[in-house]
Amino acid sequence: EMLFTFGGEKSFVNQISLMNLNLDHNADGILRSKDDDCSSEADDDLHNDLPRFDVAFLCWCVGGFFGLHRFYLRDYAGAKEMLFTFGGFLLSWLSDGFQLASMVEKARADRVAHFPRFIHTQSAKSAKMYCKNRLSNTKYGINTLGIYAQFLPMSILEQLERNTNRYFLFIAILQLDPGLTPTNPLTTWLPLAIIFFVTAVRELNDDMQRLAADRTANNRTYLVARDHEWSQCTSENVCVGDLILIDKEHEVPADCVLLASSSADGSVHLETANLDGETDLKVRRAMPLTACLGLRLSPQLCASMEMEVAGIAGTELAGVVRLGGQACGVSEAQAMPQGAVVRTAEWALGLVVYT
């Protein structure tokens, strides 16, 4: 028996025998499905096709003026714009240099979202293959040090991208020459400096508030099955392939497939007001293959589960779950999107498919 706690109550869960499952043991003694070899080849092809930061940085250094790094990240519209504006008069080129890491992460996430996924539960390979679950809505950095280090140059570059600020800066520079204008340069430089300062302070304050909200969301704790046992895990450390327990009135930390719930029929009602503004509760039902097991879905049993997902995260969901030699289709009826709130069921058990 194994013991875990949720909702303030303790429950004993009987382990289910794995004698009849279609499993082998690898050299390390870890349970492995016989179909792992086929899916691992597809995962390797996907990994080789993902953009890399070192290559993107080299492209930015060599041909960033002409949008070579954007072309490498498959942002063809942005590359075309930089090509005909010579790097946006160098401003876009410099701005991309500060944001290159986040641009690479976004390109990797977009590439992976359009690729079929072969997910193995509690698999370290699945966890490393896909992006992290850290939420970041800030403009100037992912932490306090990064914001303060990048804020000043990025804020100036951002404000200089506005044609109005460029015009007044050009006039202010001309006024430095006494032979061109009899007026005092301070009449232009002082208002321009005040506008730049007030805008920068407002942007910095907004970004710090976004950082505080991101930290609150990233530090929420959930019960996650990893290495065949339950443990506490923060939202930002949730990985693809994790088995996760979500309590009532808690947000779903990542896009999940519903496996079971406290309801007898495996259903759960979700509130998606944070996503689409709708206050009506949406019903999600677990697939029959797993709903009948309920909390008997121990981490050891789920170690044999495989899921093949085809679709784009957030818009559609289609796939197949294989467990114990049986297969069951997955559709939007089992989808629990990130940001939705569990309202009716005391708990919901999900498998993370998108982060």
Side-chain angles (χ1 to χ4, degrees):
E1 292 182 335
M2 57 183 296
L3 173 67
F4 64 92
T5 305
F6 66 94
E9 298 180 356
K10 297 182 179 180
S11 300
F12 289 92
V13 181
N14 295 324
Q15 296 182 2
I16 298 179
S17 174
L18 302 178
M19 297 292 293
N20 60 340
L21 296 182
N22 186 26
L23 298 176
D24 286 338
H25 288 78
N26 61 13
D28 299 326
I30 300 176
L31 292 172
R32 180 179 65 86
S33 170
K34 293 179 180 179
D35 297 329
D36 279 357
D37 296 335
C38 297
S39 60
S40 62
E41 293 179 1
D43 290 341
D44 292 338
D45 293 340
L46 172 60
H47 186 268
N48 295 332
D49 189 53
L50 294 178
R52 295 166 45 188
F53 176 79
D54 53 350
V55 178
F57 180 75
L58 180 62
C59 293
W60 178 79
C61 294
V62 175
F65 297 112
F66 310 104
L68 182 61
H69 59 292
R70 287 180 176 264
F71 185 83
Y72 170 70
L73 299 177
R74 298 190 180 180
D75 181 12
Y76 301 122
K80 182 179 179 181
E81 180 182 355
M82 293 190 69
L83 177 64
F84 289 106
T85 61
F86 193 64
F89 301 104
L90 301 183
L91 296 179
S92 297
W93 176 72
L94 292 174
S95 179
D96 284 355
F98 287 103
Q99 305 180 56
L100 191 59
S102 60
M103 292 173 63
V104 172
E105 287 294 330
K106 183 179 183 301
R108 291 173 66 92
D110 292 342
R111 194 82 55 85
V112 166
H114 292 77
F115 232 90
R117 295 189 172 202
F118 298 90
I119 300 172
H120 303 273
T121 58
Q122 308 177 66
S123 169
K125 185 173 184 179
S126 294
K128 294 179 181 179
M129 179 70 62
Y130 305 105
C131 63
K132 298 179 181 179
N133 196 49
R134 174 180 292 178
L135 181 65
S136 179
N137 294 312
T138 55
K139 294 175 58 178
Y140 303 107
I142 61 176
N143 51 43
T144 305
L145 181 61
I147 290 177
Y148 284 122
Q150 303 181 36
F151 167 73
L152 184 59
M154 289 184 65
S155 177
I156 293 176
L157 291 174
E158 181 182 0
Q159 295 192 55
L160 288 179
E161 290 180 354
R162 303 170 184 171
N163 293 329
T164 304
N165 290 341
R166 291 180 183 177
Y167 169 77
F168 283 107
L169 179 62
F170 179 72
I171 296 299
I173 293 175
L174 292 180
Q175 288 183 340
L176 294 176
D177 186 359
L180 294 178
T181 176
T183 58
N184 192 335
L186 287 178
T187 58
T188 303
W189 280 101
L190 185 59
L192 187 63
I194 293 176
I195 292 174
F196 272 58
F197 177 77
V198 172
T199 304
V201 171
R202 185 193 61 187
E203 291 291 336
L204 179 61
N205 180 66
D206 292 344
D207 216 39
M208 296 303 294
Q209 291 182 2
R210 287 190 290 265
L211 178 63
D214 290 344
R215 285 178 174 174
T216 301
N218 290 329
N219 291 330
R220 294 193 182 103
T221 58
Y222 297 87
L223 201 60
V224 173
R226 192 173 293 172
D227 297 329
H228 312 305
E229 62 181 12
W230 295 98
S231 60
Q232 294 286 341
C233 179
T234 58
S235 176
E236 64 179 348
N237 292 321
V238 171
C239 302
V240 171
D242 282 347
L243 195 68
I244 185 169
L245 263 176
I246 307 168
D247 293 332
K248 185 178 181 180
E249 306 298 335
H250 281 65
E251 285 190 6
V252 180
D255 291 339
C256 302
V257 169
L258 180 63
L259 299 180
S261 73
S262 60
S263 303
D265 59 351
S267 65
V268 63
H269 289 75
L270 302 177
E271 181 182 311
T272 59
N274 295 337
L275 305 176
D276 52 20
E278 296 183 6
T279 57
D280 295 338
L281 299 182
K282 297 178 175 59
V283 182
R284 294 292 185 267
R285 299 186 185 277
M287 63 197 76
L289 180 63
T290 58
C292 59
L293 296 176
L295 283 179
R296 291 178 297 168
L297 274 170
S298 64
Q300 287 81 2
L301 177 60
C302 287
S304 66
M305 184 179 297
E306 296 178 347
M307 178 172 293
E308 180 180 351
V309 179
I312 302 175
T315 59
E316 58 185 29
L317 179 64
V320 172
V321 171
R322 299 180 180 88
L323 176 63
Q326 301 182 20
C328 183
V330 178
S331 65
E332 294 183 4
Q334 290 82 40
M336 296 196 300
Q338 181 183 21
V341 181
V342 177
R343 288 303 186 193
T344 55
E346 292 298 324
W347 54 264
L349 186 65
L351 176 66
V352 180
V353 293
Y354 285 99
T355 52

